[in-house]
C-alpha cells in the first residue's frame, strides 16, 4: 500500500457527521413536508496520497456524499475540513476539490474545443494572466493524460468514450487540486477501456501524489484502486476498513452479502447466491437501515441506530458485532 | 435443436454508408441450456438477438446472408405477421430497461391479462388467475395488491421480474435476455440470475443471455460465444472459455478485469486501441490491429474457425495453445 508520510498525522480531508436531506414535497405554504434522507451523518478521513473507495448500491447516497463534500449541494448539517481548516460550503464549489464525472458524453460541452474545456477552470480561477502560459499548461495536461497537443483544437464528439474520460481527468487536474472526487468515472466505459483509464489514474496518483475519493458500484474495481474502502447503505457508512482486509474479512452483514453477490468471472466459483433477500427501503427510520434485510437483526436493530465502533481495525456500525 | 443460426450477416443503412454490424455468425442453442453472448458495446451481440426475434428496425436494416432456424423451421424471411405469432409463443425476450418495455398508463394486471387473453384466448377471470400465478412464481411479494399497481410504483428489480413473468405467459421454448441485469444493483442482479436459472430448469426453457459482464456469464451460462466486431471469435463450454481461453481477445478481456477473490497490486494488463469501425470491410482478422502477437497473415486473411476439441472453437491464426508450444520464426 502507499507508505506516504503524513505530517502531524493530520488527514487531508475530514468529513464530520455530514448530512443532506432533500425536500421532496412541500405543503401549501411552500414549507417542506417530506424529505429524502440521502445522507444521514457520515464521517471519514482521507489522508494525503491515498484513495478512499466509496461503494454501495444505487440510491445509497454515495454520489450525494461526493457532491456535498465538493459544495455542489449545501449540507443540511455537518462539517468538511481540508488541511484541518473548515470549508465554508455555502460559498459553492471549492477550487482545491475537483471532480471527474460518470458520463464522459454529458460532462463535456459539445460546442467547446478540448483546449477550451481544459482551460476553463484556469480562467474561472484566474490562474494565468498570460494566454501563452495558459496554452502551455493545456498542452502539458493533454500529454499528461496520454493525448497529443494537436488534439486541443478538436471537439468532444471526435473522441471515443475512453479519450473523453481522459479529457475530463485533464480538466480536473488543471488547477492542481488537493483531492479529486471521482464519481463512477469508469462505469460508462467498455471493459477493455476501463482498465486503460484506471491505469492512467493510478499512474497520475503516483507521479503527482494525488488523493482520490473513488465512488463506484463496481466492487472489484474499487478493491483494485483503493487503499481503504467505505461501504454505504441508505445514507450511512456501514463499514470502513483497509481494502484487502475488507474483502478478505468482511464483518458487517451487509458487506458480507454485498461481496457474496458479485459475480466472479470464474464458472467454478458458483457461490451460493441466496445472498440478500428483499430490496433497498425508503429511509426515514430510527434503527439500523439494513435491519429489515438482515438475518441477524434483533429488536434493538429496529429501534436504535448503531454507533460506529472499532472492531479488528474495521470501523463498523452494527449491533450484532 | 431449438435454435440454429447459420452464417448470419446483418447490416444497417446509415448516412455514412452501410454498417455491417453482424458478419457471419453461426451458433446453436440446445434444449434447456443457457448460451451466453459476450462482447463490448457495438460488437453485434444485441443485433444478433434482435434479428432472431424479428425486431430489427424495418426502415434501415437488412439481413444480407445466412439463415435462422427456430425449432427446425427457417424463419429468416418470415413476414412481420408471422413473426409476431412466433414472438411470445415460441420465443420471448426481456430487455435491459424494463421501464421502457412496460406501458406506463396501464396497471401491471391489465398489461399481463391483455397478453394472456390475446395469446391464449382465456376468459378475463382465468387470465387474471394465470397472471397472478405467474407474478407469484417470479417472486413478487403481495402479488394481489401489485396487480393493481402501475409500472412506476415498482423498483427496477421488480419491474424486471414482471417482464420475466410476461415473457413466460406462453411457456416459450427460447428466451432472449438482452443485458437483463445491467441496470440493476449487484444484490438484485444475483436474485434475477438465480430466478432465470430456476425457471429454465423448471420449464426446460433455453435462454440466450446477452451481456458485457463476464461475471454474469460465468455464473449461469453453459456455453459461451465471445463476439468481437460482428463475429464470434471464440466459443465453447463455459469452463473452457474462462480457464483455457484461446483467443487473444478473450484472454485480454479476462486479464483486464480486477478480481475480488484475488490479491493483486500490479498494473492491470490492457488491450490497447479500440474496436474497428464497422462501416468498412475487414480483410484479415478484425482483432489484428489490437493484438500483441499479430503476424503478417493476420492482416491479410481471415483465420478459419478451428476446433480445439471439447466443442471449443476459435478464430485465430495463432491460438494461445500453439504459442505455448514455442512458436518462434
Amino acid at each position: 500500500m502507499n507508505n506516504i508520510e503524513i505530517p502531524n498525522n493530520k488527514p487531508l480531508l475530514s468529513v464530520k457527521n455530514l448530512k443532506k436531506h432533500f425536500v421532496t414535497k412541500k405543503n401549501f405554504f411552500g414549507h417542506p413536508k417530506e424529505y429524502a434522507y440521502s445522507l444521514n451523518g457520515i464521517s471519514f478521513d482521507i489522508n494525503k496520497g491515498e484513495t478512499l473507495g466509496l461503494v454501495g448500491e444505487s440510491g445509497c447516497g454515495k454520489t450525494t456524499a461526493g457532491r456535498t463534500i465538493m459544495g455542489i449541494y449545501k449540507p443540511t448539517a455537518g462539517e468538511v475540513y481540508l488541511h484541518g481548516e473548515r470549508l465554508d460550503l455555502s460559498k459553492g464549489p471549492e477550487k482545491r476539490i475537483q471532480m471527474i464525472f460518470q458520463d464522459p458524453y454529458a460532462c463535456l460541452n459539445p460546442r467547446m474545443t478540448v483546449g477550451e474545456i481544459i482551460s476553463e477552470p484556469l480562467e474561472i480561477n484566474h490562474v494565468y494572466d498570460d494566454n501563452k502560459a495558459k496554452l502551455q499548461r493545456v498542452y502539458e495536461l493533454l500529454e499528461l493524460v496520454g493525448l497529443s497537443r494537436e488534439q486541443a483544437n478538436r471537439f468532444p464528439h471526435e473522441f471515443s468514450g475512453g479519450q473523453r474520460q481522459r479529457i475530463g481527468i485533464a480538466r480536473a487536474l488543471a488547477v492542481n487540486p488537493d483531492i479529486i472526487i471521482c464519481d463512477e468515472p469508469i462505469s460508462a466505459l467498455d471493459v477493455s477501456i476501463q482498465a486503460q483509464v484506471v491505469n492512467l489514474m493510478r499512474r497520475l496518483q503516483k507521479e503527482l501524489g494525488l488523493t482520490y475519493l473513488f465512488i463506484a458500484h463496481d466492487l472489484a474495481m474499487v478493491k483494485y484502486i483503493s487503499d481503504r474502502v467505505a461501504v454505504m447503505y441508505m445514507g450511512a457508512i456501514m463499514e470502513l476498513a483497509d481494502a484487502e482486509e475488507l474483502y478478505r474479512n468482511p464483518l458487517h452483514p451487509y458487506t458480507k452479502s454485498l461481496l457474496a453477490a458479485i459475480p466472479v468471472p470464474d464458472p467454478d466459483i458458483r457461490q451460493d447466491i441466496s445472498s440478500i433477500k428483499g430490496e433497498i427501503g425508503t429511509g426515514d427510520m430510527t434503527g439500523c437501515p439494513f435491519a429489515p434485510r438482515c438475518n441477524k437483526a434483533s429488536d434493538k436493530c429496529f429501534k436504535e441506530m448503531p454507533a460506529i465502533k472499532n472492531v479488528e481495525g474495521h470501523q463498523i456500525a452494527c449491533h450484532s458485532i | 435443436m431449438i435454435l440454429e443460426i447459420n452464417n448470419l450477416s446483418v447490416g444497417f443503412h446509415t448516412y455514412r454508408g452501410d454498417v455491417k454490424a453482424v458478419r457471419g455468425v453461426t451458433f446453436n442453442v440446445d434444449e434447456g441450456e443457457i448460451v451466453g453472448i459476450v462482447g463490448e458495446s457495438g460488437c453485434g451481440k444485441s443485433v444478433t438477438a434482435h434479428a432472431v426475434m424479428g425486431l430489427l428496425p424495418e426502415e434501415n436494416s437488412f439481413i444480407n446472408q445466412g439463415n435462422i432456424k427456430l425449432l427446425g423451421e427457417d424463419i429468416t424471411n418470415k413476414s412481420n405477421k408471422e413473426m409476431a405469432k412466433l414472438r411470445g409463443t415460441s420465443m420471448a425476450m426481456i430487455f435491459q430497461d424494463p421501464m421502457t418495455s412496460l406501458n406506463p398508463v396501464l396497471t401491471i394486471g391489465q398489461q399481463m391479462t391483455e397478453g394472456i387473453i390475446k395469446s391464449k384466448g382465456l376468459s378475463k377471470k382465468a387470465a387474471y388467475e394465470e397472471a397472478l400465478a405467474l407474478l407469484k412464481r417470479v417472486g413478487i411479494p403481495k402479488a394481489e395488491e401489485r396487480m393493481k399497481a402501475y409500472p412506476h410504483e415498482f423498483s427496477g428489480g421488480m419491474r424486471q421480474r414482471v417482464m420475466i413473468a410476461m415473457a413466460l405467459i406462453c411457456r416459450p421454448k427460447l428466451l432472449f435476455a438482452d443485458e437483463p441485469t445491467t441496470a440493476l444493483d449487484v444484490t438484485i442482479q444475483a436474485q434475477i440470475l438465480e430466478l432465470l436459472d430456476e425457471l429454465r430448469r423448471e420449464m426446460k426453457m433455453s435462454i440466450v443471455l446477452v451481456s458485457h459482464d463476464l461475471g454474469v456469464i460465468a455464473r449461469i451460462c453453459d456455453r459461451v460465444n465471445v463476439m468481437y466486431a460482428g463475429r464470434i471469435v471464440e466459443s465453447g463450454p463455459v469452463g473452457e472459455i474462462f480457464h483455457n481461453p484461446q483467443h487473444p481477445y478473450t484472454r485480454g478481456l479476462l486479464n483486464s478485469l480486477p478480481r475480488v477473490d484475488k490479491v493483486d497490486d500490479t498494473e492491470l494488463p490492457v488491450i490497447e486501441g479500440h474496436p474497428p469501425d464497422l462501416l468498412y470491410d475487414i480483410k484479415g482478422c478484425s482483432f489484428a490491429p489490437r493484438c500483441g502477437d499479430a503476424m503478417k497473415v493476420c492482416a491479410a486473411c481471415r483465420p478459419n474457425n478451428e476446433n480445439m476439441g471439447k466443442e471449443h472453437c476459435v478464430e485465430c491464426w495463432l491460438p494461445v495453445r500453439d504459442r505455448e508450444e514455442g512458436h518462434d520464426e
Side-chain angles (χ1 to χ4, degrees):
Chain A
M1 290 292 111
N2 281 335
N3 287 321
I4 288 162
E5 274 179 49
I6 305 145
N8 315 329
N9 245 349
K10 211 190 266 169
L12 175 71
L13 182 90
S14 202
V15 175
K16 297 234 155 69
N17 200 22
L18 197 65
K19 286 186 185 175
K20 175 73 199 169
H21 300 163
F22 292 99
V23 178
T24 50
K25 252 187 199 166
K26 288 180 181 171
N27 67 9
F28 180 73
F29 302 103
H31 298 300
K33 195 172 136 199
E34 272 177 28
Y35 291 97
Y37 299 88
S38 302
L39 272 189
N40 290 325
I42 59 164
S43 307
F44 57 80
D45 293 336
I46 306 180
N47 297 319
K48 185 157 172 42
E50 85 166 347
T51 302
L52 178 73
L54 198 55
V55 294
E57 298 180 82
S58 44
C60 74
K62 52 192 193 299
T63 297
T64 308
R67 295 190 166 198
T68 314
I69 292 165
M70 249 204 100
I72 297 178
Y73 296 149
K74 217 175 132 199
T76 311
E79 295 117 50
V80 176
Y81 297 87
L82 190 65
H83 296 296
E85 131 201 17
R86 187 172 171 185
L87 293 180
D88 185 0
L89 294 174
S90 58
K91 270 197 204 149
E94 165 67 42
K95 173 189 142 192
R96 288 170 292 174
I97 307 176
Q98 292 291 322
M99 200 162 196
I100 305 171
F101 297 90
Q102 173 171 9
D103 188 345
Y105 295 85
C107 75
L108 303 176
N109 186 335
R111 291 173 193 277
M112 285 165 89
T113 65
V114 167
E116 285 166 353
I117 288 170
I118 296 174
S119 61
E120 205 179 15
L122 299 170
E123 269 162 40
I124 292 169
N125 293 297
H126 310 290
V127 182
Y128 296 103
D129 303 327
D130 177 9
N131 265 334
K132 237 185 196 160
K134 193 170 72 190
L135 200 62
Q136 203 50 47
R137 174 74 179 147
V138 170
Y139 289 155
E140 199 184 297
L141 286 163
L142 277 173
E143 277 160 14
L144 193 63
V145 297
L147 297 169
S148 67
R149 58 172 66 196
E150 290 76 34
Q151 289 169 316
N153 293 322
R154 299 219 195 139
F155 287 90
H157 73 261
E158 299 174 64
F159 294 86
S160 67
Q163 286 175 318
R164 283 181 217 212
Q165 207 50 291
R166 286 171 196 264
I167 297 166
I169 294 172
R171 176 175 60 184
L173 289 173
V175 290
N176 287 321
D178 291 335
I179 179 163
I180 298 182
I181 296 175
C182 318
D183 188 2
E184 304 253 12
I186 52 164
S187 53
L189 306 175
D190 264 323
V191 184
S192 70
I193 310 295
Q194 282 187 352
Q196 293 177 5
V197 173
V198 165
N199 281 343
L200 170 71
M201 288 179 63
R202 284 191 42 148
R203 179 171 62 82
L204 291 172
Q205 181 167 42
K206 251 184 225 157
E207 283 172 13
L208 309 173
L210 297 174
T211 308
Y212 294 131
L213 174 62
F214 192 89
I215 301 169
H217 67 272
D218 179 346
L219 290 128
M221 207 46 107
V222 167
K223 173 183 179 237
Y224 177 73
I225 199 169
S226 307
D227 300 314
R228 290 187 303 143
V229 174
V231 180
M232 278 185 80
Y233 188 76
M234 287 173 70
I237 290 180
M238 298 277 113
E239 186 166 6
L240 195 162
D242 278 341
E244 293 295 346
E245 169 66 17
L246 184 87
Y247 284 77
R248 201 179 53 236
N249 178 28
L251 294 177
H252 197 286
Y254 178 61
T255 317
K256 279 184 189 163
S257 33
L258 192 62
L259 289 178
I262 312 172
V264 178
D266 184 340
D268 291 350
I269 310 177
R270 291 198 176 178
Q271 65 277 63
D272 178 25
I273 44 179
S274 52
S275 56
I276 313 189
K277 300 291 171 222
E279 299 197 355
I280 205 157
T282 44
D284 184 22
M285 53 195 321
T286 44
C288 169
F290 186 59
R293 293 173 83 184
C294 184
N295 51 15
K296 285 187 184 168
S298 59
D299 288 349
K300 196 179 172 195
C301 298
F302 286 93
K303 283 180 194 133
E304 199 183 315
M305 176 71 200
I308 298 261
K309 55 189 168 187
N310 240 315
V311 183
E312 299 172 37
H314 298 224
Q315 283 172 283
I316 179 168
C318 183
H319 287 306
S320 72
I321 289 161
Chain B
M1 203 62 74
I2 301 292
L3 178 74
E4 288 165 77
I5 298 179
N6 197 4
N7 199 21
L8 181 75
S9 290
V10 182
F12 295 95
H13 302 296
T14 70
Y15 70 96
R16 291 171 63 207
D18 287 355
V19 173
K20 294 146 206 101
V22 175
R23 305 176 167 216
V25 159
T26 303
F27 72 91
N28 298 328
V29 180
D30 256 332
E31 186 175 290
E33 71 172 348
I34 303 188
V35 176
I37 306 181
V38 66
E40 295 177 86
S41 34
C43 73
K45 54 191 193 304
S46 280
V47 175
T48 308
H50 281 80
V52 178
M53 288 294 291
L55 292 174
L56 292 172
E58 233 176 287
E59 58 281 7
N60 67 346
S61 67
F62 55 92
I63 294 180
N64 49 4
Q65 59 163 329
N67 56 58
I68 305 162
K69 272 188 189 161
L70 182 71
L71 301 165
E73 188 190 0
D74 194 327
I75 58 164
T76 326
N77 297 314
K78 285 225 188 256
S79 70
N80 267 345
K81 220 172 164 184
E82 288 169 311
M83 285 308 286
K85 232 177 225 167
L86 285 176
R87 283 194 293 265
T89 53
S90 303
M91 55 183 178
M93 190 165 184
I94 53 174
F95 300 89
Q96 174 173 350
D97 181 6
M99 194 60 203
T100 51
S101 330
L102 291 168
N103 188 338
V105 298
L106 294 179
T107 63
I108 294 301
Q110 284 170 324
Q111 298 187 45
M112 289 208 54
T113 45
E114 183 194 8
I116 295 172
I117 292 169
K118 254 198 186 144
S119 57
K120 282 188 161 177
L122 292 177
S123 72
K124 227 174 176 180
K125 189 145 180 282
Y128 178 88
E129 289 302 323
E130 169 108 30
L132 196 63
L134 278 168
L135 284 186
K136 279 185 183 155
R137 175 59 201 97
V138 296
I140 295 201
K142 296 183 204 144
E144 286 92 349
E145 274 172 53
R146 299 307 255 164
M147 287 283 279
K148 289 178 218 128
Y150 289 90
H152 73 267
E153 296 173 77
F154 286 74
S155 66
M158 284 299 151
R159 267 183 228 141
Q160 199 58 282
R161 284 174 198 268
V162 171
M163 288 306 298
I164 294 173
M166 291 174 96
L168 294 178
I169 288 173
C170 285
R171 312 252 157 176
K173 296 301 281 177
L174 180 65
L175 178 72
F176 278 96
D178 188 0
E179 305 262 7
T181 59
T182 309
L184 307 175
D185 283 318
V186 279
T187 55
I188 309 299
Q189 167 170 287
Q191 295 171 2
I192 296 287
L193 292 178
E194 199 176 7
L195 175 67
L196 286 175
D197 201 23
E198 275 171 33
L199 288 172
R200 69 108 174 218
R201 276 175 220 286
E202 217 177 279
M203 306 184 150
K204 294 196 173 56
M205 178 172 68
S206 310
I207 299 178
V208 177
L209 179 72
V210 175
S211 179
H212 71 278
D213 189 334
L214 287 155
V216 168
I217 295 283
R219 185 166 253 180
I220 70 167
C221 289
D222 303 313
R223 287 193 298 126
V224 185
N225 296 309
V226 182
M227 277 190 85
Y228 184 77
R231 286 193 69 81
I232 293 180
V233 292
E234 184 164 10
S235 62
V238 68
E240 279 286 306
I241 298 289
F242 283 86
H243 293 312
N244 185 22
Q246 292 297 320
H247 199 281
Y249 177 64
T250 317
R251 215 180 188 194
L253 271 188
L254 285 167
N255 285 341
S256 67
L257 287 176
R259 297 273 297 261
V260 279
D261 56 335
K262 286 196 179 140
V263 178
D264 55 36
D265 203 32
T266 49
E267 187 159 280
L268 285 178
V270 298
I271 307 175
E272 292 298 341
H274 43 83
D277 190 340
L278 294 179
L279 202 59
Y280 308 107
D281 283 325
I282 301 165
K283 223 169 109 202
C285 167
S286 50
F287 189 63
R290 296 176 80 183
C291 182
D293 300 293
M295 305 173 292
K296 268 186 191 157
V297 64
C298 298
C301 311
R302 194 161 70 206
N304 296 322
N305 199 344
E306 203 178 321
N307 197 332
M308 315 286 293
K310 294 185 203 163
E311 292 180 55
H312 187 175
C313 296
V314 62
E315 238 178 45
C316 180
W317 285 113
L318 188 58
V320 172
R321 179 188 69 181
D322 298 352
R323 280 173 213 205
E324 277 151 9
E325 283 165 11
H327 192 99
D328 36 10
E329 275 165 69

